[in-house]
Each structure stands twice: as C-alpha cells, then as structure tokens.
Amino acid sequence: MNKIALITGASAGIGEACALKLAENGFDLIIAGRRQKNLESLAKLIEEKFNKDVLSLCLDVRNYEDVERTINALPEKWKNIDVLVNNAGLAVGVSPIEQGIIDDWDRMIDTNVKGLLYVTRCVSPLMTARKKGLIVNISSIAGKEAYPGGNVYCGTKHAVEAITKGMRIDLLPHNIRVSSIAPGMVETEFSLVRFKGDENKAEQVYEGFSPLKAEDIADSLLFIATRPEHVSINDILIMPSAQASARDVNRK
Ligand code: NDP
Ligand code: 8X3
C-alpha cells in the first residue's frame, strides 16, 4: 500500500507543488483547500500523470467543526495518514501596528495558527493510534525574524515555530516526527494575497533577483519525508541565494 500524505493549502503554490512532488514519489494524496476547482484540476493531473489515488477535501481550516467532521468522515483507508503537511497560510497587508486592520489580523491568526492547530488536533490522534507519522509545518523566515509591516504575520509564524517544538515534545512518546520548513521568499500567489489582488505590488516583491520556486520547498519536504525512521530533520531554513535575511535582498 502506498503511503498517504495530507496537505493543507494544496490548491496553489507551495502546497500544490508538494502534492505533485509526493505523488511523483509514490504517495497517495489527500489535498485540502477552499478552492474546489483548483483541487479538482490538481487531482486530475496527479491521477493521470502519476497514477496515484487522490482525495480532495474542500475545507476552510479556520472552521474547527468542519475540520473535525471532515477528518472523522474520512474513509478508513484514508485515515492511515503517514505525513501531514500544515501548509495553508497567508499574509494579509503590511500595515504598521498602529494602523493595523483587525480583519487582516484575524485572517492571519485564524489560518496560520488556529487552522494549523485544528488540523493537527484532528489528525494527530490517527497517528498516535498507529504509533507512527510525520508532521511538517510550513513556517517562514518570518518565524525567525520580524520586519517592518510584518508584525502579525511574523507573530503567527513565530507561533508556528514554538508550536512545532511543543508538538515534537508531546508526540515523542508516540514515535511521531515533527519538522518545520522555513522558507524565505517564494514566488507564489502569496504576495498577491498579501497585497489584496494588487498585481503590480505583488510583482515588485520578486523583481531583480531569483526567488525560490514552490518546487524548491517541495524538494525539502521530499527530503524530510524520505529519511529513514530513525532520522528527524527538525528544521530547514531555505532562502533564495540572493536573500540573506528577511530584509536583505541583493536586487540587480
Ligand atoms: P499561496 O497563496 O500560493 O497558497 C496558499 C494556500 O493556502 C492556498 O492553497 C490556499 O488555498 C490555502 N489557504 C489559505 N487560507 C486557507 C484556509 N482558510 N483554509 C484552507 N486553505 C487555505 O501561498 P504559498 O504557497 O506561498 O503559501 C503556503 C505557505 O507557505 C503559507 O503558510 C505561507 O505563510 C508559507 N510561506 C510562504 C512564503 C512565500 O514567500 N511564498 C515564504 C515562507 C512561508 P485556498 O485559497 O483555495 O483556500
Ligand atoms: C513569507 C516570506 O519574507 O514575506 O513568509 O516573510 S516573507
């Protein structure tokens, strides 16, 4: 039987690339996100290209009741989740703290922190029952540093870093490995979401240097997920070669 991976936020960007990479390398996939059409296209691609089983879950990770109901209702085969990738997340806005928009703050905290917790709360008991599993949380350079206008987004990713460490300790007796991947700038829909659909502002973020591609993060995930059982890759910090810190980018 193939291993099974559940990836949140698989309808775009890093999550989509991770789904394709794991499918290419023998995993069956549970792909989750809010945009059903994107999930359907991805599922079709995976089935046709890699001949792997795919289950699509139209799911908003901010809604605990939906998350719980959806995970509890998984068909028995699909409950044998070997790898959970907590990837769904977003930044919204770059306002300084004194001008912060409460709805932006709520969206980031509810998705990046509470959503990650909700999914983990429902999936981890399936892993502890089987005494095996791997959880990979997608953090960020924003989980290691703060930068102007990053306040709440950086706060959520610092929380992801702390929660990852706590999860690793709690799940240790259950033989479950917990990893974090913290990327620098990756060209995805991330900046379009952060700038609320302003394409010019989003494009400027990646001008004058080569940002990471979503596939680069998928490579890191594959490395983590294919280590022997006695090896845990706790943290990967992966940056574009032209980025030395959240703020230092060598643009041509
Ligand atoms: P994208 O905007 O391209 O993808 C984000 C994904 O998250 C989408 O699939 C989106 O799906 C999903 N998502 C957002 N909100 C929810 C929700 N409430 N419920 C379920 N799914 C949701 O961005 P990235 O691929 O770049 O981002 C993925 C992760 O990587 C995020 O956690 C981000 O913080 C992190 N990251 C990104 C970096 C970058 O520079 N791009 C750098 C470091 C970390 P849908 O809209 O269909 O729900
Ligand atoms: C996304 C990358 O630089 O906006 O986490 O924090 S950054």
Side-chain angles (χ1 to χ4, degrees):
M1 205 167 83
N2 292 332
K3 285 192 169 184
I4 294 173
L6 190 168
I7 302 177
T8 66
S11 52
I14 292 170
E16 180 183 24
C18 288
L20 288 166
K21 183 66 70 177
L22 290 187
E24 187 182 2
N25 286 275
F27 283 76
D28 290 336
L29 263 303
I30 306 175
I31 51 175
R34 292 169 301 176
R35 283 170 289 176
Q36 190 155 9
K37 275 203 168 156
N38 292 28
L39 295 175
E40 280 167 11
S41 313
L42 177 62
K44 197 160 170 270
L45 180 64
I46 289 174
E47 283 160 356
E48 286 174 3
K49 200 165 171 194
F50 303 118
N51 196 24
K52 291 290 171 303
D53 289 348
V54 186
L55 184 70
S56 300
L57 303 178
C58 193
L59 187 63
D60 187 330
V61 297
R62 293 173 295 181
N63 185 324
Y64 182 72
E65 281 176 14
D66 273 1
V67 172
E68 187 183 37
R69 191 179 326 111
T70 305
I71 299 298
N72 286 346
L74 285 175
E76 281 313 306
K77 159 191 161 160
W78 290 106
K79 284 187 173 160
N80 296 321
I81 296 165
D82 296 287
V83 179
L84 165 64
V85 184
N86 280 314
N87 165 74
L90 76 179
V92 198
V94 284
S95 302
I97 201 76
E98 76 281 6
Q99 294 166 24
I101 297 167
I102 302 304
D103 184 55
D104 293 352
W105 293 359
D106 287 344
R107 284 175 65 194
M108 291 187 273
I109 293 166
D110 290 350
T111 310
N112 302 358
V113 182
K114 292 165 73 178
L116 179 149
L117 287 169
Y118 292 166
V119 175
T120 301
R121 178 64 185 86
C122 295
V123 172
S124 56
L126 302 175
M127 292 180 166
T128 58
R130 297 170 69 221
K131 287 275 173 206
K132 62 175 182 175
L134 166 67
I135 300 176
V136 182
N137 294 331
I138 304 299
S139 173
S140 169
I141 183 66
K144 317 259 184 202
E145 300 174 25
Y147 53 82
N151 43 61
V152 174
Y153 179 66
C154 296
T156 65
K157 291 299 183 178
H158 276 68
V160 169
E161 293 273 314
I163 290 166
T164 301
K165 289 177 193 157
M167 282 167 60
R168 187 177 301 126
I169 294 164
D170 292 349
L171 294 171
L172 183 64
H174 302 285
N175 199 34
I176 293 164
R177 293 175 289 178
V178 182
S179 304
S180 145
I181 303 176
M185 285 195 258
V186 190
E187 191 165 12
T188 61
E189 294 177 11
F190 178 85
S191 292
L192 199 59
V193 173
R194 171 169 248 176
F195 293 109
K196 303 179 182 178
D198 186 327
E199 290 179 9
N200 284 336
K201 280 190 181 165
E203 278 167 18
Q204 278 170 26
V205 173
Y206 309 110
E207 262 170 23
F209 77 107
S210 296
L212 293 169
K213 298 184 173 75
E215 292 72 24
D216 299 320
I217 312 309
D219 283 339
S220 297
L221 171 67
L222 181 66
F223 180 73
I224 292 171
T226 53
R227 290 313 87 205
E229 294 245 336
H230 69 285
V231 178
S232 175
I233 306 297
N234 287 359
D235 291 293
I236 291 183
L237 172 60
I238 173 171
M239 305 286 282
S241 302
Q243 186 181 12
S245 74
R247 298 174 71 177
D248 294 295
V249 181
N250 185 24
R251 296 180 199 265
K252 299 288 176 224

